[in-house]
Amino acid sequence: MGLTRPNEGGYAMGGLSRHSLRALEAVWNDLLALGESVVDSLEKCVLAVREGRVELVAEIKEQEEDSDRREVEIEQEALRILALFEPVATDLRRMATVLKVNRDWERIADLSLRVARRARKLVRKHPEIVVPDGIKDLAGAVLEHVRAAQGVLTRGDSAAARQVIADDQKIDDAYRDVRRELKALAAADPARLDGWLLVLSSARNLERIADHATGIAQTVVFLQEGRIIRHGDETV
């Protein structure tokens, strides 16, 4: 993605030049496309957890590597736009959103690969362990949470974003229930402790994925309302 310096033609009334607006729109579309790819990768990860589809790990790895490359390109482009065009107000918030959400998508891709790899290792080294329904349900709930975050980002819907933020508590509660169950199973079956620890690690990483999705929703509120929401507080 190349940028043209704003020296060929006029600036838009009270805002950025046509060139800079096109550049901003292009990097925004790249961010949305990255999100689509990451959600697809997470869908495969959930299949690996819930259905033992560990043959998908190779595809997830390829997508994670592609996400790494795209994340760097988007960050470089966003920083170039900030340096060349010095956006303000809504445009500045949009670029801040790109930088923040770009990182969240990259982390979700990375964590999806970790979870999928642990699912594969469990199948290979501990085939006798049956994945509890609780973690399967958690994986499905996390996927829906991430899809919801992707949707509010695409639509720019701050009201729906606030609902996504509120729904994070359900993920936290489900994770605590799964963790409690897995600890009990490990205590009752110490000979297979390594296997149960793999499942517990996957549950923790799924919960972290949900946290990043919640972070995306919080950033949508910032983008639309200019408010920073963190730790239950709101700051203008």
Side-chain angles (χ1 to χ4, degrees):
M1 295 179 290
L3 285 178
T4 303
R5 290 182 180 273
N7 59 3
E8 304 177 9
Y11 284 80
M13 289 295 293
L16 299 177
S17 71
R18 291 188 298 273
H19 305 297
S20 56
L21 288 172
R22 284 197 296 269
L24 195 154
E25 194 64 28
V27 77
W28 181 260
N29 288 335
D30 287 341
L31 179 73
L32 296 181
L34 174 61
E36 291 177 3
S37 176
V38 172
V39 170
D40 181 70
S41 179
L42 178 60
E43 289 171 350
K44 292 174 181 148
C45 163
V46 170
L47 286 173
V49 172
R50 300 183 72 175
E51 300 178 15
R53 296 280 305 279
V54 296
E55 76 278 4
L56 295 172
V57 174
E59 293 180 32
I60 298 169
K61 183 176 185 298
E62 288 181 3
Q63 287 179 295
E64 191 273 337
E65 291 173 348
D66 181 62
S67 297
D68 284 346
R69 176 186 59 79
R70 293 164 74 173
E71 186 251 347
V72 171
E73 290 177 351
I74 289 170
E75 181 177 345
Q76 289 175 336
E77 186 70 358
L79 293 174
R80 187 177 297 119
I81 291 170
L82 288 170
L84 291 179
F85 303 120
E86 300 180 354
V88 297
T90 302
D91 294 320
L92 180 58
R93 291 207 305 269
R94 202 176 192 198
M95 296 315 301
T97 297
V98 168
L99 289 169
K100 172 64 171 64
V101 173
N102 187 44
R103 180 60 175 162
D104 282 321
W105 283 135
E106 187 277 332
R107 293 300 299 143
I108 291 173
D110 180 65
L111 290 166
S112 297
L113 178 59
R114 290 189 193 183
V115 172
R117 280 174 165 167
R118 281 161 176 72
R120 181 176 64 185
K121 189 173 183 179
L122 186 71
V123 168
R124 290 177 174 177
K125 294 186 176 295
H126 305 278
E128 72 283 358
I129 289 182
V130 177
V131 177
D133 288 340
I135 193 168
K136 293 180 180 180
D137 293 341
L138 176 64
V142 168
L143 175 58
E144 290 308 310
H145 195 64
V146 174
R147 283 174 174 161
Q150 179 194 23
V152 299
L153 177 69
T154 301
R155 300 190 306 272
D157 187 341
S158 62
R162 288 176 180 276
Q163 185 59 54
V164 173
I165 295 165
D167 287 344
D168 183 67
Q169 185 61 50
K170 298 177 183 177
I171 302 292
D172 290 344
D173 292 343
Y175 168 63
R176 280 193 289 270
D177 290 343
V178 167
R179 184 176 61 185
R180 190 179 304 112
E181 179 185 11
L182 291 174
K183 286 182 177 180
L185 288 168
D189 188 16
R192 297 179 177 84
L193 179 61
D194 289 347
W196 291 119
L197 288 177
L198 285 173
V199 181
L200 183 59
S201 175
S202 293
R204 172 57 181 147
N205 284 324
L206 285 167
E207 191 267 343
R208 290 171 66 193
I209 288 172
D211 284 344
H212 284 288
T214 300
I216 291 172
Q218 290 171 338
T219 308
V220 171
V221 174
F222 165 73
L223 172 64
Q224 298 299 324
E225 302 179 12
R227 294 179 177 272
I228 296 174
I229 301 179
R230 244 191 324 263
H231 314 304
D233 299 325
E234 294 195 19
T235 304
V236 177

